[in-house]
Amino acid sequence: MSNEDIRYVTDSTRPNAGRIYDYWLGGDYNFPVDREVANKIEKEMPFVKSLARIIRWFLGNSIDRAIKMGFTQFLDFASGLPTVDHIHRRIPEGMKKEIKIVYSDIDPITVRIGNEIIGNNPLVKFVECDCRKPEVILKSDIANNFLNKNQKIAIGLSGVLYYLTDEQISYITKTLYEWAFDKSIIYFCDFDIETLKNDPSIQAVFDYYESINQPLYAHSKKNVIKLVEPWRVKEPGLQILEDWLNLPLDIAQQWGKFTGGSTYYGGFIEK
Ligand SMILES: C[S@@+](CC[C@H](N)C(=O)[O-])C[C@H]1O[C@@H](n2cnc3c(N)ncnc32)[C@H](O)[C@@H]1O
């Protein structure tokens, strides 16, 4: 990271994508400059806040389920800022000493701020990694010494598949399959282009992301299930997020305004 980037981390006069996202999530790690940009984007795309929240609720809920299933180690890709409902905030008090968490993100500034947020907890790391090259972590000291390779692990690809091509999804999940211990899981969510196809608002979203040089890729759920093989879909299956989260009807309806229906799905795949 350059000196310029380091200055930027603590610079509350310039907006930062991670802090903007944190604002949508209702977090407290953002500045007026972030909120101003967030509000502008929201005017163009009024659904962004619900989208950010539902993805993060999925993440928090998946962590709760994984803990109940006996997972004690987490390797999370494309983490964003570890604020509202993120992994270390979901760990029950009595388990904090037995859980190991590796957060990662492609954005060096997010990583830097993320490290500020987690402080010096020896059981939580936050490293820079482009999830298109998971081997950067898998071959590192973190994978070999911090994580236990001989134990199942819960791996996160939440809220990132739409940034990835089919080939990249396939490469990432195969690489993780070869590395992960038996019974490991990947928790992920994505939108299903099959259910979005007839929604005119979707084109505006694709155009917006294209304009900020972060193109989106549309996948169908059916195709994703093939792309991630040999990982197998785990019970209760890949569900629309309203069902996965058992959302109250009023929230589900508010969410439904964006797409005119349920388009986001998520769940676990297992080795
Ligand atoms: C929508 S946020 C998701 C945050 C979090 N995973 C969640 O579920 O709430 C997307 C994050 O993905 C990161 N990202 C985008 N492309 C990435 C890539 N190729 N590798 C790693 N992180 C990436 C962005 O920097 C951003 O922090």
Side-chain angles (χ1 to χ4, degrees), residues 227-243:
L227 292 174
V228 301
E229 281 173 0
W231 293 91
R232 293 175 314 271
V233 175
K234 184 168 174 56
E235 285 302 312
L238 300 176
Q239 297 182 326
I240 56 169
L241 295 193
E242 291 92 325
D243 289 349

PDB file of all heavy atoms in Angstrom, residues 227-243:
ATOM      1  N   LEU A 227     -21.541 -25.000 -11.944  1.00  0.00           N
ATOM      2  CA  LEU A 227     -20.203 -24.400 -11.911  1.00  0.00           C
ATOM      3  C   LEU A 227     -19.425 -24.765 -10.649  1.00  0.00           C
ATOM      4  O   LEU A 227     -18.210 -24.858 -10.678  1.00  0.00           O
ATOM      5  CB  LEU A 227     -20.300 -22.865 -11.982  1.00  0.00           C
ATOM      6  CG  LEU A 227     -20.799 -22.254 -13.289  1.00  0.00           C
ATOM      7  CD1 LEU A 227     -20.972 -20.746 -13.134  1.00  0.00           C
ATOM      8  CD2 LEU A 227     -19.821 -22.555 -14.410  1.00  0.00           C
ATOM      9  N   VAL A 228     -20.136 -24.933  -9.538  1.00  0.00           N
ATOM     10  CA  VAL A 228     -19.439 -25.162  -8.264  1.00  0.00           C
ATOM     11  C   VAL A 228     -19.121 -26.638  -8.009  1.00  0.00           C
ATOM     12  O   VAL A 228     -18.498 -26.962  -6.998  1.00  0.00           O
ATOM     13  CB  VAL A 228     -20.217 -24.572  -7.062  1.00  0.00           C
ATOM     14  CG1 VAL A 228     -20.424 -23.077  -7.220  1.00  0.00           C
ATOM     15  CG2 VAL A 228     -21.548 -25.284  -6.856  1.00  0.00           C
ATOM     16  N   GLU A 229     -19.546 -27.515  -8.893  1.00  0.00           N
ATOM     17  CA  GLU A 229     -19.236 -28.938  -8.690  1.00  0.00           C
ATOM     18  C   GLU A 229     -17.733 -29.138  -8.571  1.00  0.00           C
ATOM     19  O   GLU A 229     -16.982 -28.380  -9.197  1.00  0.00           O
ATOM     20  CB  GLU A 229     -19.766 -29.761  -9.893  1.00  0.00           C
ATOM     21  CG  GLU A 229     -21.250 -30.004  -9.785  1.00  0.00           C
ATOM     22  CD  GLU A 229     -21.822 -30.664 -11.043  1.00  0.00           C
ATOM     23  OE1 GLU A 229     -21.054 -30.925 -11.994  1.00  0.00           O
ATOM     24  OE2 GLU A 229     -23.018 -30.900 -11.063  1.00  0.00           O
ATOM     25  N   PRO A 230     -17.242 -30.078  -7.807  1.00  0.00           N
ATOM     26  CA  PRO A 230     -17.978 -31.156  -7.130  1.00  0.00           C
ATOM     27  C   PRO A 230     -18.579 -30.791  -5.769  1.00  0.00           C
ATOM     28  O   PRO A 230     -19.035 -31.687  -5.060  1.00  0.00           O
ATOM     29  CB  PRO A 230     -16.912 -32.243  -6.971  1.00  0.00           C
ATOM     30  CG  PRO A 230     -15.613 -31.526  -6.981  1.00  0.00           C
ATOM     31  CD  PRO A 230     -15.789 -30.267  -7.753  1.00  0.00           C
ATOM     32  N   TRP A 231     -18.583 -29.516  -5.350  1.00  0.00           N
ATOM     33  CA  TRP A 231     -19.324 -29.159  -4.150  1.00  0.00           C
ATOM     34  C   TRP A 231     -20.789 -29.556  -4.389  1.00  0.00           C
ATOM     35  O   TRP A 231     -21.305 -29.401  -5.501  1.00  0.00           O
ATOM     36  CB  TRP A 231     -19.259 -27.655  -3.878  1.00  0.00           C
ATOM     37  CG  TRP A 231     -17.906 -27.137  -3.506  1.00  0.00           C
ATOM     38  CD1 TRP A 231     -16.968 -26.656  -4.373  1.00  0.00           C
ATOM     39  CD2 TRP A 231     -17.337 -27.027  -2.198  1.00  0.00           C
ATOM     40  NE1 TRP A 231     -15.841 -26.250  -3.682  1.00  0.00           N
ATOM     41  CE2 TRP A 231     -16.048 -26.465  -2.339  1.00  0.00           C
ATOM     42  CE3 TRP A 231     -17.786 -27.344  -0.913  1.00  0.00           C
ATOM     43  CZ2 TRP A 231     -15.205 -26.217  -1.260  1.00  0.00           C
ATOM     44  CZ3 TRP A 231     -16.946 -27.093   0.166  1.00  0.00           C
ATOM     45  CH2 TRP A 231     -15.677 -26.543  -0.009  1.00  0.00           C
ATOM     46  N   ARG A 232     -21.453 -30.023  -3.356  1.00  0.00           N
ATOM     47  CA  ARG A 232     -22.870 -30.434  -3.483  1.00  0.00           C
ATOM     48  C   ARG A 232     -23.753 -29.540  -2.620  1.00  0.00           C
ATOM     49  O   ARG A 232     -23.360 -29.174  -1.502  1.00  0.00           O
ATOM     50  CB  ARG A 232     -23.055 -31.881  -3.002  1.00  0.00           C
ATOM     51  CG  ARG A 232     -22.373 -32.935  -3.865  1.00  0.00           C
ATOM     52  CD  ARG A 232     -22.523 -34.311  -3.217  1.00  0.00           C
ATOM     53  NE  ARG A 232     -22.241 -34.297  -1.793  1.00  0.00           N
ATOM     54  CZ  ARG A 232     -21.048 -34.483  -1.261  1.00  0.00           C
ATOM     55  NH1 ARG A 232     -20.000 -34.720  -2.030  1.00  0.00           N
ATOM     56  NH2 ARG A 232     -20.868 -34.442   0.055  1.00  0.00           N
ATOM     57  N   VAL A 233     -24.918 -29.210  -3.164  1.00  0.00           N
ATOM     58  CA  VAL A 233     -25.848 -28.365  -2.403  1.00  0.00           C
ATOM     59  C   VAL A 233     -26.252 -29.094  -1.129  1.00  0.00           C
ATOM     60  O   VAL A 233     -26.599 -30.276  -1.164  1.00  0.00           O
ATOM     61  CB  VAL A 233     -27.100 -28.034  -3.243  1.00  0.00           C
ATOM     62  CG1 VAL A 233     -28.113 -27.268  -2.393  1.00  0.00           C
ATOM     63  CG2 VAL A 233     -26.713 -27.234  -4.484  1.00  0.00           C
ATOM     64  N   LYS A 234     -26.171 -28.386  -0.023  1.00  0.00           N
ATOM     65  CA  LYS A 234     -26.497 -29.001   1.279  1.00  0.00           C
ATOM     66  C   LYS A 234     -27.909 -28.611   1.702  1.00  0.00           C
ATOM     67  O   LYS A 234     -28.372 -27.515   1.397  1.00  0.00           O
ATOM     68  CB  LYS A 234     -25.478 -28.488   2.312  1.00  0.00           C
ATOM     69  CG  LYS A 234     -25.645 -29.118   3.664  1.00  0.00           C
ATOM     70  CD  LYS A 234     -24.460 -28.829   4.563  1.00  0.00           C
ATOM     71  CE  LYS A 234     -24.702 -29.347   5.961  1.00  0.00           C
ATOM     72  NZ  LYS A 234     -25.029 -30.771   6.033  1.00  0.00           N
ATOM     73  N   GLU A 235     -28.546 -29.503   2.419  1.00  0.00           N
ATOM     74  CA  GLU A 235     -29.886 -29.207   2.963  1.00  0.00           C
ATOM     75  C   GLU A 235     -29.839 -27.930   3.815  1.00  0.00           C
ATOM     76  O   GLU A 235     -28.834 -27.725   4.487  1.00  0.00           O
ATOM     77  CB  GLU A 235     -30.375 -30.380   3.848  1.00  0.00           C
ATOM     78  CG  GLU A 235     -30.834 -31.589   3.041  1.00  0.00           C
ATOM     79  CD  GLU A 235     -31.945 -31.256   2.067  1.00  0.00           C
ATOM     80  OE1 GLU A 235     -32.925 -30.596   2.476  1.00  0.00           O
ATOM     81  OE2 GLU A 235     -31.819 -31.619   0.892  1.00  0.00           O
ATOM     82  N   PRO A 236     -30.809 -27.061   3.826  1.00  0.00           N
ATOM     83  CA  PRO A 236     -32.118 -27.171   3.199  1.00  0.00           C
ATOM     84  C   PRO A 236     -32.158 -26.704   1.746  1.00  0.00           C
ATOM     85  O   PRO A 236     -33.232 -26.395   1.240  1.00  0.00           O
ATOM     86  CB  PRO A 236     -32.973 -26.247   4.078  1.00  0.00           C
ATOM     87  CG  PRO A 236     -32.018 -25.170   4.496  1.00  0.00           C
ATOM     88  CD  PRO A 236     -30.673 -25.821   4.626  1.00  0.00           C
ATOM     89  N   GLY A 237     -31.019 -26.633   1.079  1.00  0.00           N
ATOM     90  CA  GLY A 237     -30.994 -26.243  -0.326  1.00  0.00           C
ATOM     91  C   GLY A 237     -30.682 -24.767  -0.495  1.00  0.00           C
ATOM     92  O   GLY A 237     -30.514 -24.032   0.479  1.00  0.00           O
ATOM     93  N   LEU A 238     -30.578 -24.344  -1.759  1.00  0.00           N
ATOM     94  CA  LEU A 238     -30.352 -22.929  -2.043  1.00  0.00           C
ATOM     95  C   LEU A 238     -31.720 -22.267  -2.098  1.00  0.00           C
ATOM     96  O   LEU A 238     -32.508 -22.546  -2.995  1.00  0.00           O
ATOM     97  CB  LEU A 238     -29.605 -22.770  -3.372  1.00  0.00           C
ATOM     98  CG  LEU A 238     -28.226 -23.435  -3.421  1.00  0.00           C
ATOM     99  CD1 LEU A 238     -27.606 -23.308  -4.804  1.00  0.00           C
ATOM    100  CD2 LEU A 238     -27.287 -22.847  -2.364  1.00  0.00           C
ATOM    101  N   GLN A 239     -31.987 -21.407  -1.138  1.00  0.00           N
ATOM    102  CA  GLN A 239     -33.342 -20.850  -0.998  1.00  0.00           C
ATOM    103  C   GLN A 239     -33.347 -19.362  -1.299  1.00  0.00           C
ATOM    104  O   GLN A 239     -32.332 -18.682  -1.097  1.00  0.00           O
ATOM    105  CB  GLN A 239     -33.817 -21.021   0.451  1.00  0.00           C
ATOM    106  CG  GLN A 239     -33.931 -22.458   0.888  1.00  0.00           C
ATOM    107  CD  GLN A 239     -34.444 -22.559   2.324  1.00  0.00           C
ATOM    108  OE1 GLN A 239     -34.152 -21.712   3.158  1.00  0.00           O
ATOM    109  NE2 GLN A 239     -35.188 -23.604   2.598  1.00  0.00           N
ATOM    110  N   ILE A 240     -34.517 -18.844  -1.695  1.00  0.00           N
ATOM    111  CA  ILE A 240     -34.611 -17.390  -1.805  1.00  0.00           C
ATOM    112  C   ILE A 240     -34.389 -16.826  -0.398  1.00  0.00           C
ATOM    113  O   ILE A 240     -34.752 -17.454   0.601  1.00  0.00           O
ATOM    114  CB  ILE A 240     -35.953 -16.927  -2.422  1.00  0.00           C
ATOM    115  CG1 ILE A 240     -37.142 -17.455  -1.637  1.00  0.00           C
ATOM    116  CG2 ILE A 240     -36.033 -17.323  -3.869  1.00  0.00           C
ATOM    117  CD1 ILE A 240     -38.447 -16.816  -2.058  1.00  0.00           C
ATOM    118  N   LEU A 241     -33.772 -15.647  -0.336  1.00  0.00           N
ATOM    119  CA  LEU A 241     -33.308 -15.169   0.967  1.00  0.00           C
ATOM    120  C   LEU A 241     -34.449 -14.897   1.942  1.00  0.00           C
ATOM    121  O   LEU A 241     -34.301 -15.052   3.145  1.00  0.00           O
ATOM    122  CB  LEU A 241     -32.418 -13.938   0.813  1.00  0.00           C
ATOM    123  CG  LEU A 241     -31.098 -14.176   0.074  1.00  0.00           C
ATOM    124  CD1 LEU A 241     -30.160 -13.003   0.249  1.00  0.00           C
ATOM    125  CD2 LEU A 241     -30.405 -15.458   0.507  1.00  0.00           C
ATOM    126  N   GLU A 242     -35.601 -14.489   1.412  1.00  0.00           N
ATOM    127  CA  GLU A 242     -36.750 -14.269   2.309  1.00  0.00           C
ATOM    128  C   GLU A 242     -37.072 -15.559   3.074  1.00  0.00           C
ATOM    129  O   GLU A 242     -37.417 -15.524   4.245  1.00  0.00           O
ATOM    130  CB  GLU A 242     -38.011 -13.850   1.528  1.00  0.00           C
ATOM    131  CG  GLU A 242     -37.929 -12.467   0.920  1.00  0.00           C
ATOM    132  CD  GLU A 242     -37.393 -12.500  -0.504  1.00  0.00           C
ATOM    133  OE1 GLU A 242     -36.521 -13.344  -0.812  1.00  0.00           O
ATOM    134  OE2 GLU A 242     -37.841 -11.675  -1.310  1.00  0.00           O
ATOM    135  N   ASP A 243     -36.963 -16.689   2.377  1.00  0.00           N
ATOM    136  CA  ASP A 243     -37.247 -17.971   3.031  1.00  0.00           C
ATOM    137  C   ASP A 243     -36.099 -18.387   3.952  1.00  0.00           C
ATOM    138  O   ASP A 243     -36.315 -18.851   5.064  1.00  0.00           O
ATOM    139  CB  ASP A 243     -37.496 -19.065   1.982  1.00  0.00           C
ATOM    140  CG  ASP A 243     -38.827 -18.854   1.275  1.00  0.00           C
ATOM    141  OD1 ASP A 243     -39.615 -18.005   1.761  1.00  0.00           O
ATOM    142  OD2 ASP A 243     -39.077 -19.503   0.246  1.00  0.00           O
TER     143      ASP A 243
END
